[in-house]
Amino acid sequence: MAGAAKILVVGPMGVGKTTLIGTVSEIKPLSTEATMSQAGARLDTKVRPTKTTTTVALDFGRITLGGELVLYLFGTPGQQRFLPAWKDLARGALGALALVDTRDLEASFDAIGHLEDLDVPFSVAVNAFPDSKLHSEDDLRSALDLLPHTPLVICDAREHQSSVKALISLVSHLIETLTEAP
């Protein structure tokens, strides 16, 4: 496969979308991180007390896989109030990597539901935070209500190789999905 593909990186606030894009991007990533304000505090729930910024428009990065396939990565804001921007970013996307955090799986339901509603093929990457509990694949699939063919991988968004493997899992799934289409 050669060419370029638009890929979304989605998930709730604080799951590691900005970190993953920054970790894998071969260009200086564009990030629209802003300090969380008092006005936003009524709407946004801080994931961790140490988190003081949030993406307010998008993150953007680029990675070339295998020297032939360029992935343009678009990270979406995690809050529900940014859904209109999220839907605009989804236009033309070949697929999405949905990041989840096992410390709060329920927070990921909206992002996965939006992908399903928009009929965007996706894979799920569990971002392994240092204080995350380990869960079996079956338990995670059940908790996230994933279809059997939806790829599920564990990654550390701070580690380049781990994040690249999550993206490769998504691309492999997209290739399978596209070759199976009638």
Side-chain angles (χ1 to χ4, degrees), residues 113-127:
H114 295 323
L115 292 172
E116 291 171 341
D117 290 345
L118 294 168
D119 202 26
V120 175
F122 66 95
S123 66
V124 175
V126 176
N127 193 5

Side-chain angles (χ1 to χ4, degrees), residues 28-50:
K28 182 179 183 204
L30 168 70
S31 178
T32 59
E33 287 278 300
T35 301
M36 290 190 272
S37 67
Q38 285 295 339
R42 292 186 326 242
L43 302 171
D44 302 332
T45 305
K46 285 187 181 180
V47 176
R48 299 283 172 248
T50 56

Side-chain angles (χ1 to χ4, degrees), residues 44-64:
D44 302 332
T45 305
K46 285 187 181 180
V47 176
R48 299 283 172 248
T50 56
K51 182 158 178 60
T52 59
T53 62
T54 187
T55 300
V56 294
L58 66 105
D59 295 313
F60 175 78
R62 182 187 76 208
I63 181 172
T64 305

Side-chain angles (χ1 to χ4, degrees), residues 97 123-124 151-153 164-174:
L97 182 66
S123 66
V124 175
L152 175 66
V153 298
V164 169
K165 285 181 182 179
L167 289 168
I168 289 171
S169 173
L170 169 62
V171 170
S172 296
H173 173 62
L174 295 174

Side-chain angles (χ1 to χ4, degrees), residues 1-9 17 19-30 59-74 97 157 159-171:
M1 180 179 214
K6 179 179 181 180
I7 300 295
L8 297 179
V9 179
K17 300 176 298 289
T19 299
L20 184 134
I21 290 172
T23 298
V24 301
S25 185
E26 61 199 22
I27 62 171
K28 182 179 183 204
L30 168 70
D59 295 313
F60 175 78
R62 182 187 76 208
I63 181 172
T64 305
L65 298 178
E68 295 183 15
L69 177 61
V70 177
L71 300 182
Y72 294 103
L73 305 173
F74 289 80
L97 182 66
E159 294 181 6
H160 180 80
Q161 281 303 106
S162 180
S163 297
V164 169
K165 285 181 182 179
L167 289 168
I168 289 171
S169 173
L170 169 62
V171 170

Side-chain angles (χ1 to χ4, degrees), residues 102 105 124 126 133-154 169:
T102 59
L105 284 177
V124 175
V126 176
K133 292 182 181 177
L134 295 177
H135 299 278
S136 73
E137 181 176 336
D138 288 341
D139 287 347
L140 288 169
R141 285 185 172 286
S142 177
L144 294 169
D145 195 25
L146 298 179
L147 295 172
H149 68 275
T150 303
L152 175 66
V153 298
I154 307 295
S169 173

